[in-house]
């Protein structure tokens, strides 16, 4: 693909954008920005929009809903690995799925098929766990023939010298404050690996041989040339990354490639990746402030449905009747992820309803809900009158 600088500014949608690839160069809103320049975020927590299994289907059977034809983005974090289960920093270390992770991926495929999803294109990273997840999903959907685009720009965050270490050990050795800064700090980088570390991607054959869309590094080229006694050109690969660094490669790739080449062409897209890369995608799609994005948790193996039309994230009913918020941990930033799903005319998405499950609401919160419901009701009455 065309080369672009991983240090380039982030790309974000203009409020007046007509497609996901219509760009406006602007920073992600932060807590320090003027309030009038920020999108007003409701101070209430909306339950996730859960798309129910069609009433015509037996909730306990394997029957499938009619095929969905609308453009959609389904994002899935890879299934669990042994590193996940042991609490290790994984990063770019290429570990396979654990048995539990394989079953999570298969179940995601069965759920998507049951709800009538089909895809035109699959995007994944160069890491085995993300690729395996995509393949297990596709296999359950009888769609192993689908074209797959693999890119290192959807790789997990590069954790530097923390790669492969126990999180508990790092916390004990360096203290709670430093541990949180390295793990959750938005622009804090862990200690970098050396040029000769086994964790440095420049020593991995796949990146040496096949990576093309990144500039060469003068420093690394000199080091390799001295080592080999001949001229060796080395790409500028990360030795460590902050969450911001990870997003600075993930978001531009989504805007320049996935959005323009697939989503804007009305294609149905599956993206299988890792947690921090997915955080970047959701920060962009859901306009989550950078001050809040580190609080977003992405469950393993759970399909997140981004509805291109209503521009919101939905979940799929698995037939169990369980509340997703009781089953999965989405973290403190879930309120930004699960905003009310609204159509262009302001009416509520017909697949969704706002359900607060007994949460006590302030008068301000209730007024906001009444306002949304009022717009929905007024829109419905207008349609009824016009049709009459």
């Amino acid at each position: 693909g065309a080369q672009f600088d991983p240090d380039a500014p982030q790309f974000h949608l203009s409020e007046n954008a007509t497609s996901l690839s219509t760009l406006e160069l602007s920073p992600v809103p932060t807590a320090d920005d003027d309030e009038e320049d920020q999108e007003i975020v409701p101070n209430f927590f909306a339950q996730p929009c859960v798309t129910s299994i069609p009433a015509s289907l037996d909730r306990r059977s394997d029957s499938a809903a009619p095929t969905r034809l609308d453009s959609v983005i389904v994002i899935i974090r890879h299934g669990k690995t042994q590193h996940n289960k042991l609490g290790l920093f994984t990063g770019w270390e290429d570990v396979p799925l654990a048995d539990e992770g394989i079953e999570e991926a298969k179940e995601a495929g069965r759920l998507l098929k049951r709800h009538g999803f089909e895809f035109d294109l699959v995007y994944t990273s160069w890491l085995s766990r993300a690729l395996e997840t995509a393949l297990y999903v596709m296999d359950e959907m009888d769609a192993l023939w689908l074209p797959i685009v693999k890119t290192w720009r959807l790789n997990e965050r590069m954790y530097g010298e923390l790669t492969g270490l126990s999180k508990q050990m790092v916390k004990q050795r360096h203290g709670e404050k430093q541990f949180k800064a390295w793990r959750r700090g938005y622009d804090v980088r862990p200690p970098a690996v050396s040029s000769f570390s086994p964790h440095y991607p420049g020593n991995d054959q796949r990146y040496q041989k096949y990576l093309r869309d990144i500039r060469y590094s003068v420093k690394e080229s000199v080091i390799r040339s001295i080592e080999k006694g001949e001229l060796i050109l080395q790409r500028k690969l990360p030795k460590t990354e902050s969450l911001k660094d990870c997003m600075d490669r993930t978001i531009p790739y989504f805007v320049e490639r996935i959005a323009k080449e697939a989503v804007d062409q009305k294609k149905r897209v599956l993206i299988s990746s890792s947690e921090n890369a997915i955080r970047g995608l959701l920060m962009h799609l859901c306009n989550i402030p950078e001050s809040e994005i580190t609080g977003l948790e992405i469950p393993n193996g759970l399909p997140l449905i981004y509805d291109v039309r209503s521009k919101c994230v939905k979940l799929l009913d698995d037939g169990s009747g369980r509340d997703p918020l009781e089953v999965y941990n989405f973290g403190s930033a879930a309120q930004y992820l699960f905003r009310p799903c609204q159509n262009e005319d302001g009416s509520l998405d017909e697949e969704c309803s706002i359900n607060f499950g007994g949460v006590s609401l302030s008068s301000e919160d209730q007024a906001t809900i009444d306002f949304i419901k009022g717009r929905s009701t007024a829109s419905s009455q207008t349609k009824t009158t016009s049709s009459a």
Side-chain angles (χ1 to χ4, degrees), residues 212 228 295 323 363:
R212 296 288 182 269
K228 299 293 185 180
D323 182 347
S363 57

Side-chain angles (χ1 to χ4, degrees), residues 188-340:
V188 179
R189 295 171 179 164
V193 296
S194 75
S195 299
F196 301 101
S197 167
H199 295 306
Y200 176 51
N203 295 319
D204 189 318
Q205 184 178 5
R206 82 191 81 181
Y207 303 110
Q208 291 177 341
K209 189 173 182 180
Y210 297 106
L211 192 145
R212 296 288 182 269
D213 62 336
I214 193 171
R215 66 179 183 269
Y216 289 104
S217 166
V218 174
K219 179 180 177 181
E220 289 302 317
S221 296
V222 169
I223 291 174
R224 298 297 173 178
S225 298
I226 293 176
E227 178 195 16
K228 299 293 185 180
E230 59 179 315
L231 179 61
I232 301 292
L233 295 179
Q234 184 79 8
R235 302 280 179 176
K236 185 178 175 59
L237 286 158
K239 294 182 175 181
T240 182
E241 286 182 316
S242 64
L243 180 57
K244 180 180 183 300
D245 294 329
C246 179
M247 294 178 177
D248 282 349
R249 58 174 162 84
T250 302
I251 295 176
Y253 183 83
F254 175 84
V255 172
E256 290 292 321
R257 298 294 300 276
I258 300 177
K260 283 186 177 180
E261 298 176 7
V263 181
D264 291 350
Q265 307 306 316
K266 309 303 182 184
K267 293 184 178 180
R268 299 160 296 180
V269 175
L270 172 66
I271 301 175
S272 177
S273 187
S274 302
E275 184 171 35
N276 285 298
I278 292 175
R279 280 194 178 110
L281 298 178
L282 293 175
M283 184 173 79
H284 173 73
L285 291 170
C286 301
N287 199 28
I288 302 175
E290 66 181 42
S291 59
E292 302 291 337
I293 192 61
T294 57
L296 182 64
E297 302 286 347
I298 312 296
N300 293 94
L302 178 69
L304 301 175
I305 317 301
Y306 182 78
D307 190 307
V308 176
R309 182 188 60 185
S310 57
K311 293 182 172 54
C312 69
V313 173
K314 302 177 180 179
L315 301 178
L316 300 178
D317 178 16
D318 61 4
S320 68
R322 300 176 301 175
D323 182 347
L325 295 182
E326 294 180 358
V327 179
Y328 303 104
N329 174 27
F330 294 98
S332 59
Q335 62 182 12
Y336 295 92
L337 187 64
F338 299 120
R339 299 180 183 184

Side-chain angles (χ1 to χ4, degrees), residues 136-151:
Y136 280 117
V137 169
M138 294 159 62
D139 188 29
E140 292 295 328
M141 300 179 71
D142 299 320
L144 280 173
W145 50 268
L146 280 173
I148 300 177
V149 178
K150 290 175 279 188
T151 171

Side-chain angles (χ1 to χ4, degrees), residues 20-32:
L20 290 177
S21 60
T22 304
L23 305 180
E24 178 181 273
L25 287 175
S26 61
V28 178
T30 67
D32 296 327

Side-chain angles (χ1 to χ4, degrees), residues 329-371:
N329 174 27
F330 294 98
S332 59
Q335 62 182 12
Y336 295 92
L337 187 64
F338 299 120
R339 299 180 183 184
C341 294
Q342 295 178 261
N343 298 315
E344 293 180 356
D345 61 2
S347 62
L348 293 179
D349 190 304
E350 60 184 10
E351 290 186 335
C352 305
S353 63
I354 300 179
N355 177 12
F356 291 88
V359 176
S360 178
L361 301 176
S362 67
S363 57
E364 181 180 356
D365 293 343
Q366 188 62 55
T368 305
I369 298 170
D370 292 341
F371 172 72

Side-chain angles (χ1 to χ4, degrees), residues 29-284:
T30 67
D32 296 327
D33 291 338
D34 293 335
E35 291 184 2
E36 61 185 12
D37 293 333
Q38 296 187 49
E39 178 182 353
I40 298 176
V41 178
N43 290 321
F44 63 85
F45 185 80
Q47 286 277 42
C49 168
V50 180
T51 302
S52 61
I53 297 174
S56 59
L57 299 181
D58 184 347
R59 298 172 67 89
R60 293 165 294 182
S61 72
D62 293 328
S63 54
T67 301
R68 292 170 177 252
L69 302 177
D70 294 339
S71 178
V72 69
I73 304 170
V74 175
I75 302 173
I76 184 169
R77 181 188 177 191
H78 61 79
K80 289 187 183 70
T81 66
Q82 287 298 332
H83 275 45
N84 293 141
K85 297 173 72 173
L86 294 173
L88 307 181
F89 285 101
T90 310
W92 284 35
E93 188 168 354
D94 200 17
V95 297
L97 294 179
D99 290 343
E100 182 180 350
I102 292 174
E103 185 53 39
E104 288 172 336
K106 289 181 176 181
E107 178 57 32
R110 291 190 288 265
L111 185 62
L112 288 165
K113 181 179 180 180
R114 193 175 183 196
H115 279 265
F117 282 86
E118 290 184 359
F119 299 107
D120 302 302
L121 195 57
V122 178
Y123 290 87
T124 187
S125 72
W126 283 13
L127 298 172
S128 297
R129 56 192 185 271
L131 178 57
E132 287 178 13
T133 297
L135 290 173
Y136 280 117
V137 169
M138 294 159 62
D139 188 29
E140 292 295 328
M141 300 179 71
D142 299 320
L144 280 173
W145 50 268
L146 280 173
I148 300 177
V149 178
K150 290 175 279 188
T151 171
W152 72 274
R153 295 185 182 277
L154 290 177
N155 277 16
E156 175 60 288
R157 173 187 172 190
M158 207 293 176
Y159 276 109
E161 288 190 346
L162 300 183
T163 302
L165 298 182
S166 163
K167 295 174 183 177
Q168 287 298 323
M169 183 191 73
V170 172
K171 184 189 298 185
Q172 293 173 3
R173 181 176 297 176
H174 298 280
E176 180 82 18
K177 183 177 180 180
Q178 184 62 72
F179 170 75
K180 286 185 176 180
W182 282 337
R183 189 179 180 216
R184 293 299 191 190
Y186 178 71
D187 55 4
V188 179
R189 295 171 179 164
V193 296
S194 75
S195 299
F196 301 101
S197 167
H199 295 306
Y200 176 51
N203 295 319
D204 189 318
Q205 184 178 5
R206 82 191 81 181
Y207 303 110
Q208 291 177 341
K209 189 173 182 180
Y210 297 106
L211 192 145
R212 296 288 182 269
D213 62 336
I214 193 171
R215 66 179 183 269
Y216 289 104
S217 166
V218 174
K219 179 180 177 181
E220 289 302 317
S221 296
V222 169
I223 291 174
R224 298 297 173 178
S225 298
I226 293 176
E227 178 195 16
K228 299 293 185 180
E230 59 179 315
L231 179 61
I232 301 292
L233 295 179
Q234 184 79 8
R235 302 280 179 176
K236 185 178 175 59
L237 286 158
K239 294 182 175 181
T240 182
E241 286 182 316
S242 64
L243 180 57
K244 180 180 183 300
D245 294 329
C246 179
M247 294 178 177
D248 282 349
R249 58 174 162 84
T250 302
I251 295 176
Y253 183 83
F254 175 84
V255 172
E256 290 292 321
R257 298 294 300 276
I258 300 177
K260 283 186 177 180
E261 298 176 7
V263 181
D264 291 350
Q265 307 306 316
K266 309 303 182 184
K267 293 184 178 180
R268 299 160 296 180
V269 175
L270 172 66
I271 301 175
S272 177
S273 187
S274 302
E275 184 171 35
N276 285 298
I278 292 175
R279 280 194 178 110
L281 298 178
L282 293 175
M283 184 173 79
H284 173 73

